[in-house]
Amino acid sequence: NMAAMASQCAKDQNLFWPYHDRLFNAQSGGQQAFTIERLVDYAGEVGLKQSDFTACMSSLKHQTAVQESVQAGVDKGVQGTPAIYINGNAVNSDYASMQAELDRLLAGS
């Protein structure tokens, strides 16, 4: 996934969260919002050094880690995002479900 690799390249420059937020805001643009050209544009918008970012993307430096992460999700049965696990148990991503699971775990300790 190009966006996941781009996020890791942003992390290399300590700007993961600003880049993450920029990608999140681009979602309404559909798949064309995530072309390599747009990903590089977003890098510049959040203050990343574009030459380093482009070199990172071109080298596929983070490809293996991203593929392993995707495979780990597939192995757990994840079918979409967000996918929330608490203590290894899948939990619905709404606040009430997460709070109920945390309360249940805390009550057992």
Side-chain angles (χ1 to χ4, degrees), residues 22-77:
R22 181 61 186 96
L23 291 180
F24 187 81
N25 289 332
Q27 287 185 85
S28 63
Q31 287 301 316
Q32 66 271 16
F34 298 102
T35 64
I36 187 65
E37 293 82 10
R38 295 300 303 148
L39 294 172
V40 172
D41 288 344
Y42 303 150
E45 290 174 19
V46 301
L48 291 163
K49 185 174 178 185
Q50 286 178 305
S51 59
D52 290 351
F53 179 84
T54 302
C56 177
M57 290 294 289
S58 297
S59 72
L60 303 175
K61 175 180 176 182
H62 297 290
Q63 183 176 24
T64 299
V66 168
Q67 288 173 335
E68 288 172 354
S69 179
V70 169
Q71 188 59 50
V74 169
D75 292 346
K76 285 189 168 278

